[in-house]
Amino acid sequence: MNGPAPTALLTHPDGELLRDGRPHRILAGSMHYFRVHPRQWADRLARLAAMGLNTVDTYIAWNFHERRPGEYRFDGWRDVERFAALAADTGLDVVLRPGPYICAEWDNGGLPAWLTDRPGMRLRSSHPPYLDEVARWFDVLVPRIAELQAARGGPVVAVQVENEYGSYGDDHAYVRWVHDALTARGITELCYTADGPTELMLDGGTLPGVLAAATFGSRAAEAARLLRSRRDGEPFVCAEFWNGWFDHWGEKHHTRSPESAVATLSEILAEGGSVSLYPAHGGTNFGLWAGANHADGTIQPTVTSYDSDAPIAEHGALTEKFHRMRDLLHSVTGRPPRPLPEPPSLLPARTLPVTARAGLLPGLEAASEPVHASDPLGFGELGLSAGLVLYRAHPVLPHGRVVLGVRGLHDRAQVFVDGAPAGIIDRETGTLDLHGTGRPVRLELLVENQGRINYGPLLGQGKGILGAVQIDRRRVHGWTMRPLPLDEWTPERLERAAAASPPAAANTPTPPGTAGGAGFATASFTADGASDTFLALPGFHKGFVWINGFLLGRYWNAGPQTTLYLPAPLTTAGANTLTVLELERAGDHLELRERPELGPPQEYVETFD
């Protein structure tokens, strides 16, 4: 016979949140295990606890664990159980947010590219093929996190159902299905939904009988009133308090003053609310995991840093916002403060000369295998989730001015004619003037996926060339494509690319907006293996950088981000090698700096109108 169902540790029988029967307030901080090196998890969790928080919350990114169908990983950086155990050792409860969709400014909102690239797929709905894949993923994931629940001696006290679904749709049967899929697989702790504090969003995302929480950055009292008017008898819970904000390439660095953030936090606490600081520690979009947003037909790629002006900075430094919030939290709880962790150790600043290696196109060609087709294929058809594709065809260009047009370009293409840079096309422009002489040319388009959209109606949109390439009105056929999954390259493949041809010119003067002096370069430095640093690439334009074969992330002189955080665990004691893939114009040196440079600040507070 089955015994009685376990009792959730967090309950709210009479509208008051209780923990094991005693009045309780969730004071949580968001920190994503996939944005922090695993050797730094314990340090960052200790900093959350020192702030006066009693809980850590994290999303679980499906695409981080299942890069290819049926290939699951929960080791190393993906060891969610170890992350939860470290939180418990620190004295923190854990809130898990398994999606399947998470947004989080994470590539594709956490959904695997192989799923969203499938023709006819209908995401975040009751579409049976979608539910079948979520069920298969949950069959693997949920029993693991069920074992981490408080009822089984673990630290997990709550689990979120989907994520801000009311911002996307109103398929209530789907949201109920996700809830039931979690509970059927062993989730017995408190379940909740999280949505923006508007009628529209709460109508679409909440479920009867499931705690409704809100996500917002301001107007806490208004949010509390709205939730209480709809959910009499439920505690007020802010599932995300946006005390900072993320950045897009080409914009300013979003900040929020400590005074503004503390004022709204005080308002939440004055309403008797529970809260999760989003983020308490942001971390980094290592590799190619940064997502993108879109507005007015324009893609907005997210930068490599996810510092987000959080109380605990990207490299673990404790900011003024941290100290102000810590004072407030301790004044509310009355608990004695924990000792503050030591500041992070930093390498001394230095300048690193670079050695030019292979040119751009020869290097990429050496590290890839060709695929042939009559028409250009998108990333999904090539089995590629992120990175670059080099497209090549040999059309005849008529005499004089002709227009190269690319329909369905996602996201950005560098155009080369007979190996020479001809210009750049993006998804907004779509065309480029060329000059023909009546003969065939080698036409190459190097297409960059700048991050899959993570929020809104274009979630799941494909990448690459999704339509036709035309010379005036004539379509171009006969394509060779070279998929370049940069984030999956081994150190050996990276070296094969860098060593492919004689060195490219390191600093070739080129007109603005064109490519030149592009390709691979390397630099080296020594480290103690225990200190962080910040990498700057003065004179470089746009590209990718690896440390000892690990893809650190993207850089772009469009800003606002100038330096990339290089955490100590990615270096070794002794010699270290940086490898740069510059797409357009290379500089002649790199710099290690002693402080982050995330760009000119712009005060930003998200407000629902």
Side-chain angles (χ1 to χ4, degrees):
M1 295 179 62
N2 294 325
T7 302
L9 186 67
L10 297 181
T11 58
H12 50 93
D14 300 308
E16 181 182 18
L17 187 67
L18 306 177
R19 186 183 190 279
D20 199 20
R22 298 180 180 87
H24 181 67
R25 197 196 299 251
I26 299 170
L27 300 174
S30 173
M31 169 186 159
H32 304 147
Y33 63 95
F34 43 81
R35 284 186 162 117
V36 179
H37 193 284
R39 282 167 51 190
Q40 294 178 321
W41 287 349
D43 174 84
R44 302 305 194 259
L45 289 166
R47 293 170 191 270
L48 261 70
M51 192 175 176
L53 302 173
N54 58 29
T55 305
V56 60
D57 86 54
T58 184
Y59 285 119
I60 295 175
W62 181 0
N63 56 5
F64 195 59
H65 295 272
E66 191 182 4
R67 292 292 300 267
R68 293 175 183 80
E71 296 181 12
Y72 306 103
R73 288 191 58 187
F74 290 91
D75 60 328
W77 210 313
R78 296 162 174 80
D79 192 343
V80 179
E81 289 102 328
R82 177 173 172 266
F83 179 81
L86 288 171
D89 291 344
T90 312
L92 296 170
D93 288 343
V94 176
V95 171
L96 292 180
R97 310 171 76 184
Y101 162 81
I102 65 170
C103 183
E105 293 71 57
W106 189 251
D107 190 68
N108 222 27
L111 299 175
W114 55 259
L115 171 68
T116 60
D117 282 336
R118 190 174 297 174
M121 183 55 64
R122 302 289 185 267
L123 308 175
R124 304 181 72 190
S125 73
S126 297
H127 183 54
Y130 175 71
L131 297 184
D132 288 345
E133 293 296 347
V134 177
R136 186 177 55 78
W137 164 235
F138 274 11
D139 284 343
V140 174
L141 172 68
V142 178
R144 286 177 171 271
I145 64 177
E147 288 299 318
L148 302 174
Q149 294 177 107
R152 305 187 192 186
V156 173
V157 299
V159 176
Q160 183 175 296
V161 179
E162 238 272 355
N163 184 65
E164 295 183 322
Y165 184 74
S167 304
Y168 181 83
D170 62 2
D171 187 343
H172 298 107
Y174 162 65
V175 183
R176 174 59 66 182
W177 183 94
V178 173
H179 172 271
D180 293 348
L182 293 168
T183 58
R185 290 164 176 80
I187 298 302
T188 58
E189 300 296 339
L190 176 71
C191 287
Y192 69 98
T193 58
D195 290 284
T198 70
E199 295 281 356
L200 178 79
M201 296 176 182
L202 292 170
D203 286 345
T206 56
L207 287 175
V210 177
L211 176 67
T215 60
F216 55 85
S218 59
R219 300 177 182 174
E222 290 182 28
R225 284 195 297 273
L226 178 60
L227 282 172
R228 285 167 176 153
S229 71
R230 299 170 62 97
R231 292 299 184 102
D232 185 32
E234 288 188 2
F236 173 42
V237 177
C238 175
E240 292 182 12
F241 164 47
W242 304 322
N243 67 98
W245 202 248
F246 55 90
D247 295 337
H248 295 132
W249 292 111
E251 299 178 4
K252 290 187 176 180
H253 172 45
H254 294 126
T255 60
R256 183 169 183 180
S257 71
E259 293 78 13
S260 170
V262 168
T264 301
L265 178 58
S266 298
E267 193 178 354
I268 295 170
L269 298 176
E271 290 289 338
S274 289
V275 64
S276 180
L277 307 177
Y278 192 96
H281 173 58
T284 308
N285 296 311
F286 294 110
L288 303 179
W289 287 114
N293 291 291
H294 62 91
D296 302 323
T298 300
I299 191 168
Q300 301 167 304
T302 300
V303 303
T304 300
S305 171
Y306 201 66
D307 178 87
S308 303
D309 197 34
I312 302 167
E314 185 175 12
H315 63 298
L318 307 181
T319 67
E320 180 186 352
K321 189 180 292 184
F322 173 96
H323 292 289
R324 296 281 294 273
M325 288 185 168
R326 182 175 186 253
D327 291 343
L328 173 61
L329 293 170
H330 284 297
S331 72
V332 170
T333 64
R335 294 179 179 173
R338 293 192 184 201
L340 292 176
E342 292 295 321
S345 174
L346 299 174
L347 288 176
R350 65 192 78 171
T351 297
L352 310 175
V354 301
T355 300
R357 305 287 300 280
L360 177 63
L361 298 181
L364 296 179
E365 186 165 348
S368 59
E369 302 298 329
V371 177
H372 304 283
S374 175
D375 292 288
L377 303 178
F379 274 51
E381 295 169 295
L382 294 166
L384 190 65
S385 62
L388 306 168
V389 173
L390 180 60
Y391 294 82
R392 179 182 295 163
H394 295 84
V396 173
L397 298 188
H399 285 88
R401 174 184 173 272
V402 296
V403 178
L404 171 68
V406 184
R407 291 193 285 110
L409 172 63
H410 295 189
D411 299 308
R412 186 177 190 268
Q414 294 172 244
V415 181
F416 301 85
V417 176
D418 291 332
I424 294 172
I425 302 176
D426 59 33
R427 56 193 282 161
E428 287 76 43
T429 58
T431 63
L432 180 69
D433 288 351
L434 300 178
H435 181 79
T437 60
R439 64 176 180 83
V441 300
R442 186 174 84 247
L443 175 67
E444 290 166 302
L445 290 87
L446 181 61
V447 175
E448 179 189 358
N449 166 2
Q450 294 187 297
R452 289 180 182 256
I453 290 169
N454 53 254
Y455 180 83
L458 299 187
L459 175 72
Q461 193 175 69
K463 295 294 183 179
I465 298 177
L466 305 183
V469 176
Q470 296 177 203
I471 302 297
D472 291 335
R473 69 181 63 189
R474 189 189 72 218
R475 294 170 67 115
V476 177
H477 291 283
W479 290 90
T480 297
M481 288 142 288
R482 291 182 175 273
L484 298 154
L486 306 180
D487 57 334
E488 298 185 62
W489 277 4
T490 62
E492 292 75 22
R493 187 170 291 267
L494 177 62
E495 176 56 26
R496 185 193 311 171
S501 72
N507 205 13
T508 303
T510 54
T514 63
F520 291 84
T522 56
S524 62
F525 66 96
T526 58
D528 59 9
S531 300
D532 298 339
T533 189
F534 302 94
L535 174 66
L537 300 96
F540 287 79
H541 185 80
K542 190 179 199 299
F544 313 86
V545 60
W546 288 257
I547 172 69
N548 298 328
F550 174 87
L551 181 55
L552 194 60
R554 300 177 174 96
Y555 66 88
W556 193 359
N557 72 351
Q561 181 175 1
T562 296
T563 59
L564 297 180
Y565 172 51
L566 203 172
L570 292 178
T571 65
T572 60
N576 294 268
T577 300
L578 293 161
T579 304
V580 180
L581 169 54
E582 168 57 48
L583 299 178
E584 298 185 27
R585 298 190 298 276
D588 60 7
H589 70 279
L590 307 178
E591 294 177 5
L592 303 183
R593 299 181 181 175
E594 294 179 337
R595 61 180 58 86
E597 298 174 33
L598 299 179
Q602 179 183 58
E603 179 82 2
Y604 184 88
V605 179
E606 181 69 9
T607 300
F608 289 105
D609 295 321

